[in-house]
Amino acid sequence: MRGKEQLNILLENPSLSAEERKITEKVLNGVRITPEEGLFLYEHGTLGYLGALANYVREHKNGDNTYFNRNFHIEPTNLCVYDCKFCSYSRLIKQRADSDAWTFSMDEMFDIVKKYDGQPVTEVHIVGGVLPQYDLPFYQELFQKIKNHRPELHIKALTPVEYHYIFKKAKVSYEEGMQLIADAGVGSMPGGGAEIFDPEIREQIAADKCTGEQWLRIHEIWHELGKRSNATILYGHIEHFRHRIDHMEQLRQLQDKTGGFQTFIPLKFRNQDNQMSHLPESTTVEDLRNYAISRIYLDNFDHVKAYWPMIGRQVAQMSLSFGVDDIDGTIDDTTKIYSMAGSEEQNPSLTTAQLVDLIRRSGRKPIERDTLYNILHDFTDTVFEEDTQYRGYYDLPVVQN
Ligand code: V47
Ligand code: SF4
């Protein structure tokens, strides 16, 4: 495998420092790195060095497989009772008359689901702002309606931010609430709302919503029900490297306990039209370094995802050489969170042919998965009739059969 050869070449390099050599040998032997070593990587790891380590881990776990799915989003509302400083998407309830505010009714959300009847999507991702009318009975009814209509569609819905709020309002415990949600048909939980667990940073950027501890507890209960979920980090704002390590350490420990996390999704802070717009965004080099360190640090996570509507399809493509093995889905222009925050992707939508092309032109294998990473189709040798408008950035020859 290329990754192993890269690491062996690295170890022959006489200019490798003693610390770099120690970490390289650990990674090669599948030994977990410590928080101090993680911090060393953030402070001293060059892009080339981190890429070699992360690519080894990626290929060891997933070979060249690069996963994607066919999905769409429903964002019930962009009004929110919370006021996260990084959020470009939400409007406070008092701004409900603004022309860019929306609140979908149950029927409107159900109409979005029906729009995909007969189309080969496998997942609906539901997440949005937090409002009192979207309470536990409302969501139970919505999920049941979707399941009755299309039982095989996987519902990936809501985060501990919403669950904490709706369970408190309904006066049910987290345990009771998560059971009710599972009974209503939710298949898995997306990774949002994690932001940064450190209480001091969290207080400054996302005061009032569920704490880091509560976020982790709700995932733990969900995993105990035999369900799977994702985890995110929001990085590149006021946090320091030590906060990123602390965040990943807490996830790594919970994963040791439950094994219920599937994917880690680093989310780059985007600075357009929010209360933290004065902060510069992280550079592409830092984004790639961050993907790589996440891949090296989270040795018990199977997958690392680059969410292309947030990072842009070019960097998503590059990230496949820095530990990433998943680039999310076709989306079909159904999410506004990142276009409103300044992403290069203003109307995020890729056809299956475009996604496949993007992955193949990075020299990897495009694999369609379902939400739980069951392989649905290997597109490595598929020739599409559709002429993809999109042209790859690494002009590797497209595999033909
Ligand atoms: O929790 C909001 C983030 C998250 C900004 O699980 C921002 O498969 C950067 O979690 N800059 C929601 N980030 C999205 C999310 C997600 C997305 C795709 C797939 C999955 C999955 C999960 O978006 C929020 C918050 O951390 N966010 N505003 C911003 N300005
Ligand atoms: Fe509300 Fe989520 Fe935006 Fe925070 S990030 S204000 S919880 S929509």
Side-chain angles (χ1 to χ4, degrees):
M1 266 186 190
R2 292 190 302 269
K4 189 159 189 175
E5 284 157 21
Q6 266 178 305
L7 274 206
N8 284 327
I9 293 168
L10 195 66
L11 282 170
E12 282 165 21
N13 182 349
S15 63
L16 211 60
S17 71
E19 188 67 5
E20 283 169 336
R21 184 170 298 279
K22 188 178 79 182
I23 295 176
T24 308
E25 278 166 356
K26 276 190 155 183
V27 170
L28 196 53
N29 295 316
V31 178
R32 174 172 283 188
I33 67 165
T34 63
E36 293 71 31
E37 289 163 341
L39 203 53
F40 172 86
L41 292 181
Y42 270 124
E43 284 170 353
H44 303 288
T46 60
L47 185 60
Y49 171 74
L50 294 171
L53 262 56
N55 194 44
Y56 169 76
V57 180
R58 181 242 207 261
E59 291 187 1
H60 187 69
K61 285 184 182 289
N62 294 296
D64 278 331
N65 284 5
T66 300
Y67 298 97
F68 68 95
N69 70 352
R70 299 200 230 194
N71 61 352
F72 64 99
H73 288 229
I74 299 178
E75 295 175 347
T77 179
N78 67 339
L79 295 175
C80 191
V81 297
Y82 299 118
D83 185 24
C84 301
K85 303 297 172 228
F86 55 81
C87 185
S88 320
Y89 159 86
S90 75
R91 304 286 176 267
L92 294 169
I93 299 180
K94 62 177 187 270
Q95 294 169 292
R96 62 183 167 272
D98 285 9
S99 57
D100 58 358
W102 72 84
T103 45
F104 288 145
S105 66
M106 176 95 59
D107 286 345
E108 284 169 321
M109 288 190 239
F110 193 52
D111 284 344
I112 298 176
V113 174
K114 283 196 288 192
K115 215 179 88 189
Y116 290 89
D117 283 358
Q119 293 193 35
V121 289
T122 58
E123 175 191 283
V124 53
H125 179 152
I126 306 175
V127 75
V130 179
L131 278 188
Q133 65 262 40
Y134 299 119
D135 57 8
L136 180 57
F138 179 94
Y139 277 123
Q140 281 175 292
E141 191 182 333
L142 175 69
F143 300 144
Q144 277 158 359
K145 245 176 120 122
I146 296 173
K147 270 318 221 196
N148 289 341
H149 178 70
R150 195 166 171 178
E152 79 290 354
L153 187 68
H154 186 106
I155 304 178
K156 184 172 82 174
L158 311 190
T159 73
V161 176
E162 289 98 334
Y163 287 130
H164 170 80
Y165 179 88
I166 66 178
F167 296 160
K168 201 168 161 199
K169 189 156 181 279
K171 297 191 173 50
V172 298
S173 67
Y174 288 167
E175 285 83 354
E176 289 165 321
M178 292 318 284
Q179 184 64 60
L180 291 171
I181 288 300
D183 294 345
V186 172
S188 60
M189 213 193 323
E195 324 312 358
I196 282 279
F197 295 144
D198 178 86
E200 278 173 29
I201 302 290
R202 199 174 179 86
E203 174 65 22
Q204 290 177 64
I205 65 167
D208 303 329
K209 71 184 192 185
C210 77
T211 63
E213 216 176 302
Q214 288 163 336
W215 189 99
L216 288 159
R217 180 67 192 137
I218 288 175
H219 280 265
E220 183 175 0
I221 292 166
W222 186 241
H223 296 170
E224 282 164 0
L225 292 174
K227 301 287 190 181
R228 314 299 302 273
S229 65
N230 294 336
T232 57
I233 183 172
L234 177 70
Y235 73 91
H237 42 90
I238 58 167
E239 90 291 2
H240 294 273
F241 290 147
R242 69 173 189 283
H243 300 121
R244 298 192 204 176
I245 290 291
D246 169 68
H247 189 92
M248 290 195 286
E249 179 56 25
Q250 297 201 50
L251 289 172
R252 198 165 74 167
Q253 286 180 16
L254 180 55
Q255 180 74 333
D256 277 345
K257 218 164 145 186
T258 66
F261 288 117
Q262 307 199 102
T263 316
F264 183 61
I265 312 158
L267 296 171
K268 169 199 178 95
F269 164 66
R270 308 297 318 233
N271 69 2
Q272 189 175 294
D273 287 337
N274 56 48
Q275 295 171 69
M276 289 160 71
S277 290
H278 56 285
L279 295 175
E281 290 185 352
S282 56
T283 61
T284 300
V285 169
E286 187 52 29
D287 297 332
L288 295 174
R289 271 171 29 91
N290 191 63
Y291 282 123
I293 297 169
S294 310
R295 181 57 291 174
I296 298 162
Y297 200 81
L298 293 171
D299 61 338
N300 54 4
F301 275 61
D302 288 341
H303 305 283
V304 174
K305 184 193 283 190
Y307 183 52
W308 69 264
M310 177 270 302
I311 200 83
R313 63 189 82 176
Q314 296 185 46
V315 180
Q317 199 179 32
M318 284 191 259
S319 73
L320 301 183
S321 300
F322 291 86
V324 167
D325 64 282
D326 188 304
I327 54 171
D328 205 79
T330 43
I331 313 278
D332 199 23
D333 196 13
T334 47
T335 175
K336 292 279 164 262
I337 297 182
Y338 287 102
S339 47
M340 291 172 87
S343 168
E344 327 27 42
E345 305 289 348
Q346 282 302 297
N347 299 98
S349 184
L350 286 175
T351 64
T352 304
Q354 286 172 322
L355 257 180
V356 164
D357 193 42
L358 185 149
I359 295 167
R360 277 202 297 223
R361 285 173 188 276
S362 320
R364 305 286 182 178
K365 288 165 75 81
I367 309 287
E368 186 189 355
R369 61 163 175 83
D370 66 12
T371 309
L372 301 175
Y373 286 84
N374 297 303
I375 292 182
L376 299 181
H377 191 72
D378 180 347
F379 280 97
T380 307
D381 298 322
T382 306
V383 180
F384 288 93
E385 279 179 26
E386 177 183 346
D387 175 30
T388 63
Q389 294 300 308
Y390 169 71
R391 282 288 156 256
Y393 294 88
Y394 299 164
D395 263 328
L396 294 175
V398 174
V399 186
Q400 299 280 344
N401 60 4

